């Protein structure tokens, strides 16, 4: 996809905030614990390589990604630290992972057998982490019998090096920890069945780590916290307070490209969902749903100059319109998302407005928006 460098619309990322968030988490780790920076999905929209390099400078020991290609992107950027793919990679690509020293997750016994067939043709040895489904209901071993069989398989096979075993929490961000405790118990049980002891047994995501749920984990898979966002983001429940302040890194900025006064009866946008009742000043912003600025943001207030102005009319693919209090010059700055967590257009407020979580708002920002990096 083409990145629009000749259009005034940019995702700005404060690398100093990212560095600080990781440094705080590193200081907060239990003795001996390591931090793996989760940079899947282009580092939650922030840009995988710049975030990964900042994470290393801040004390990260390795990385987690969701798909093999994201791991390869880091290797191409000369990152040599451990990389774990959290999702299921088709076993036929096990040799590609092994050749690039990328660790894969084993979701079940059948995967092992298929991956071994592929690896045997090459003489390569693959590093693996055993995935455990302790209650997330997504991937990994959940039955004792299959897990023991996989362990026995590992003992006889020469194609694999066991590096880790992990599970993922479904509700570490919730004040009610009954399901969390059930997942902990299931994981502890599966641990007892291990026949080979991996280097890293891990369960912590950002929420489990910063809300001090105090379970043993050799490494923390630190994701959303990197970006300065509180994982406790359910609009229906009060936020849990993290153990240290998080500093958001991302803002989304553009400019007015067109300003005009419309008159009574004039409509704005597809379907004319906004019709002027009197003379009204309308500004146009060159960002739309193709940039990930979805149609549900209609009515949300963005900051134009110093004023919060409502989006009027339907958001188009590439542009949207705002109602201005008065004529403003073309080129006036428009801040769609602020990095200030207390601003009315913070990413959390934006996510609440469209009934989702800030993870999703950040990930949706498309490659058409260039990423610009600064330190402040
Ligand atoms: C995405 C993910 C993480 C990171 O979660 P955050 O809530 O962003 O910290 C950790 N582990 C797994 C398995 C994941 O898929």
């Amino acid at each position: 996809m083409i990145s629009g460098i000749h259009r005034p619309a940019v995702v700005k990322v404060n690398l100093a905030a990212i560095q600080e968030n990781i440094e705080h988490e590193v200081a907060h780790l239990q003795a001996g614990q390591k931090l793996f920076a989760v940079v899947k999905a282009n580092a939650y929209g922030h840009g995988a390589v710049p975030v990964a390099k900042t994470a290393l400078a801040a004390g990260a020991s390795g990385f987690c990604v969701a798909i093999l290609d994201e791991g390869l992107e880091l290797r191409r950027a000369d990152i040599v630290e451990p990389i774990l793919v959290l999702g299921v990679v088709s076993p036929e690509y096990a040799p590609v992972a092994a050749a690039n020293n990328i660790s894969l997750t084993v979701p079940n016994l059948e995967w092992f057998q298929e991956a071994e067939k592929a690896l045997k043709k090459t003489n390569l040895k693959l590093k693996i982490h055993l995935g455990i489904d302790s209650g997330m209901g997504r991937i990994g071993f959940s039955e004792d019998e299959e897990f023991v069989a996989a362990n026995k398989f590992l003992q006889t096979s020469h194609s694999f090096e066991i590096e880790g075993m992990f599970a993922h929490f479904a509700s570490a961000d919730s004040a009610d920890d009954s399901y969390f405790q059930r997942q902990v118990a299931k994981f502890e049980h599966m641990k007892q069945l291990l026949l080979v002891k991996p280097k890293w047994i891990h369960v912590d995501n950002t929420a489990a780590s910063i809300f001090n749920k105090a379970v043993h984990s050799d490494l923390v898979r630190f994701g959303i916290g990197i970006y300065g966002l509180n994982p406790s983001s359910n609009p229906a429940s009060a936020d849990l307070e993290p153990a240290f302040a998080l500093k958001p890194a991302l803002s989304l900025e553009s400019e007015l490209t067109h300003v005009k006064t419309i008159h009574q009866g004039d409509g704005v946008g597809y379907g004319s969902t906004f019709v002027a009742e009197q003379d009204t000043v309308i500004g146009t912003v060159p960002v739309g749903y193709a940039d990930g600025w979805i149609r549900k943001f209609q009515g949300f207030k963005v900051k134009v100059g110093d004023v919060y102005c409502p989006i009027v009319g339907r958001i188009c693919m590439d542009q949207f319109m705002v109602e201005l209090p008065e004529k403003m010059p073309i080129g006036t700055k428009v801040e769609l998302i602020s990095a200030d967590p207390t601003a009315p257009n913070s990413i959390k407020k934006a996510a609440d407005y469209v009934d989702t979580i800030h993870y999703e708002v950040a990930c949706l920002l498309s490659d058409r928006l260039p990423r610009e990096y600064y330190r402040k």
Side-chain angles (χ1 to χ4, degrees), residues 38 40 44 86 138 166 168 205-207 221-224 231 359:
V38 182
K40 61 192 179 190
Y44 297 39
L86 298 167
R138 193 164 68 178
F166 76 100
H168 192 47
N205 55 0
T206 301
R221 301 185 305 266
F222 196 55
I224 197 77
Y359 291 72

Side-chain angles (χ1 to χ4, degrees), residues 38-45 64-67 70 86 138 168 227:
V38 182
V39 294
K40 61 192 179 190
N42 199 26
Y44 297 39
C64 296
V65 293
I67 63 175
E70 293 170 348
L86 298 167
R138 193 164 68 178
H168 192 47
Y227 313 101

Side-chain angles (χ1 to χ4, degrees), residues 32-33 87 89 100 125 160 189 243 266-267 287 306 317 347 375:
Q33 231 177 13
V89 176
N100 288 278
K125 205 163 176 153
F160 303 97
H189 168 76
D266 292 343
V287 176
D306 293 324
M317 189 184 291
I347 191 162
R375 288 180 170 268

Side-chain angles (χ1 to χ4, degrees), residues 149-315:
N151 271 269
K152 288 190 175 147
F153 178 84
L154 252 184
Q155 286 180 314
T156 57
S157 166
H158 300 290
S159 303
F160 303 97
E161 177 187 336
I162 179 167
E163 190 174 53
M165 161 174 169
F166 76 100
H168 192 47
F169 289 120
S171 56
D173 62 338
S174 162
D176 174 359
D177 74 348
S178 49
Y179 196 77
F180 177 88
Q181 294 304 345
R182 187 186 142 127
Q183 283 199 264
V184 171
K186 169 85 179 182
F187 190 72
E188 288 301 319
H189 168 76
M190 300 299 269
K191 243 159 78 172
Q192 302 311 314
L193 303 178
L194 274 174
L195 297 176
V196 265
K197 171 94 175 73
K199 182 159 55 162
W200 293 311
I201 295 184
H202 51 112
V203 289
D204 277 11
N205 55 0
T206 301
S209 174
I210 70 175
F211 301 134
N212 286 308
K213 299 270 184 180
V215 271
H216 177 78
S217 192
D218 295 319
L219 62 88
V220 174
R221 301 185 305 266
F222 196 55
I224 197 77
I226 293 178
Y227 313 101
L229 304 174
N230 186 338
S232 178
S233 57
N234 181 353
S237 71
D239 280 1
L240 288 168
E241 274 306 310
F244 51 86
L246 293 164
K247 191 168 171 185
L250 180 145
S251 54
L252 172 57
E253 294 178 12
S254 186
E255 289 176 7
L256 293 177
T257 49
H258 189 81
V259 177
K260 62 180 174 287
T261 301
I262 60 170
H263 310 291
Q264 200 219 337
D266 292 343
V268 173
Y270 291 117
S272 303
T273 59
F274 178 88
V275 177
E277 286 169 7
Q278 65 224 353
D279 282 4
T280 305
V281 185
I282 297 292
T284 301
V285 183
V287 176
Y289 61 78
D291 299 294
W293 190 248
I294 59 174
R295 278 161 46 115
K296 271 194 173 179
F297 279 115
Q298 182 171 350
F300 186 67
K301 287 185 176 162
V302 296
K303 193 175 175 191
V304 186
D306 293 324
V307 199
Y308 291 94
C309 302
I311 295 174
V312 292
R314 288 195 184 130
I315 290 170

Side-chain angles (χ1 to χ4, degrees), residues 111-129:
W111 188 96
F112 251 150
Q113 293 154 346
E114 292 301 314
E116 178 165 67
K117 280 186 215 154
L119 287 163
K120 269 199 168 151
K121 297 177 195 151
T122 66
N123 269 337
L124 291 163
K125 205 163 176 153
L126 177 72
K127 291 181 179 157
I128 54 101
H129 290 230

